[in-house]
Each structure stands twice: as structure tokens, then as C-alpha cells.
Amino acid sequence: MDDGEDDIEVSVDVDPEVVVLVRLNVIAHVAREIASAVRAPASALEIIMRSIRDRLLAQVKLLAYGPDDSIVAYLSLKIDWERHAFLLTQGSTKHEFMLKADGPIDTQVAPMLAKARDYIQQCSDNLDVRRVDAYYTYRPGKREEANQKYGTSAVEPDEAARLREAVSGQELSVVDHNLSELQVVYRHVRGK
């Protein structure tokens, strides 16, 4: 039917380099980026991503070892799930983020965490990190499910002792206001 009006052409520019990620995926990506700075193995990076997306991970502790097989650094990534749930119910927090696909997510969303990642990367290079062991703590009541799903297991007593030793000393602790449910704690051995 022709009503006599001219058809109006509408064009929309779409940037194929921009993606939208929900908050949970942003947290998972940022945690992976920070863990990769300490040279966590690909298997640990995958478990970090999946277990955050599945809402099972409470904390991951990474121990970095130097050339002489001694601990040279400690990194902890902790998710505050109660805070996450609270933030999602508030209207003042972003639930989705528009991001450029070709850049690191942490620099676009959480600049303080990006600075922490850069510092951790520089320390890892200086400390000549050779291997990294990952230790996962899952949310209450989720350990068995997560161990089965990701092929992880409980911490052995000697590993627990190494973890206690690694958490002593000075630390860098960072929380970015844009992703305040993710806490980063980093320590490295001085003089290396």
C-alpha cells in the first residue's frame, strides 16, 4: 500500500570489534588475565574461567616457583559472591559491559586491576617464574561437584604447609571499584 510518503532509509553503523559481556564473564576474563601475568598454566586459566562462570570458585591461590624450585611469588584471586549478588540487585552497578574485542578487558573495565596485572607480569619476568601450581577453594557445599567437573582434588598436607608459608610477608592487595567483588592479593620474595 502506497500512502504517498517517501520511504526513509535508515542505516546503522555496527562496530564488529565491540562485544557485550555480562558482569560474570567480565570477572572471569579479568581473573584469567591477572592469573596469566604470574604465568599460570593454560589448564589453570581454563578452570578459573569455567569455575567462575559456573559460580563455583571462591578463591584460587597460585604459587610461582623460580629456577631453583623455590617459591618466588604468591597470587590469590578471591570472589565475594555475596557482594556480587548484592551488586546485581542494585541499579547503580553495570550488569553488561561494551568492550573492544581487540584489547585487554581489564584495562577497559577495571584500571586498578590492569595496573596490578602489569606489576605482577613485570615481577614474574624479573623473578624468572618457571612453574605455577594452582589451588582452588570452592564455594561452600560445591567442592565435590567442582572437583568432579574440573578434575581437581583436595590440598595435600605438604601443599597446605607451602601455602601457609607463601601467605606471610608484605603484599599488594587490589580491589577496583568497577569490579569490587574480585580481590587480588600478590606477594613476591624480596631480593630475587
Side-chain angles (χ1 to χ4, degrees), residues 3 14 43 62 66 119 167 184-185:
D3 59 6
V14 177
S43 59
L62 301 163
Y119 173 76
V167 299
V184 176
V185 175

Side-chain angles (χ1 to χ4, degrees), residues 45-123:
L45 299 176
E46 177 66 22
I47 291 172
I48 291 167
M49 286 284 292
R50 288 179 52 209
S51 62
I52 291 173
R53 286 178 178 158
D54 294 340
R55 299 174 185 261
L56 296 175
L57 185 69
Q59 182 177 19
V60 61
K61 297 174 183 176
L62 301 163
L63 293 183
Y65 295 85
D68 63 354
D69 209 33
S70 65
I71 297 171
V72 295
Y74 164 86
L75 175 66
S76 167
L77 302 169
K78 187 174 184 178
I79 310 295
D80 184 340
W81 289 105
E82 288 179 13
R83 178 148 183 81
H84 178 72
F86 174 77
L87 291 171
L88 290 181
T89 61
Q90 298 237 331
S92 62
T93 298
K94 280 189 167 187
H95 297 271
E96 295 180 340
F97 296 85
M98 292 186 68
L99 306 165
K100 292 199 179 263
D102 61 350
I105 292 173
D106 59 359
T107 58
Q108 299 176 62
V109 174
M112 290 300 295
L113 294 176
K115 288 179 182 181
R117 176 188 38 84
D118 290 344
Y119 173 76
I120 293 166
Q121 177 66 55
Q122 181 181 8
C123 289

Side-chain angles (χ1 to χ4, degrees), residues 105-143:
I105 292 173
D106 59 359
T107 58
Q108 299 176 62
V109 174
M112 290 300 295
L113 294 176
K115 288 179 182 181
R117 176 188 38 84
D118 290 344
Y119 173 76
I120 293 166
Q121 177 66 55
Q122 181 181 8
C123 289
S124 294
D125 292 344
N126 292 342
L127 295 168
D128 195 17
V129 171
R130 299 290 175 101
R131 106 179 136 90
V132 175
D133 292 339
Y135 302 93
Y136 308 94
T137 303
Y138 299 109
R139 295 177 72 183
K142 301 293 184 179
R143 180 181 304 155

Side-chain angles (χ1 to χ4, degrees), residues 29-44:
H29 280 280
V30 170
R32 181 186 67 193
E33 288 172 3
I34 294 169
S36 70
V38 80
R39 299 185 183 167
S43 59

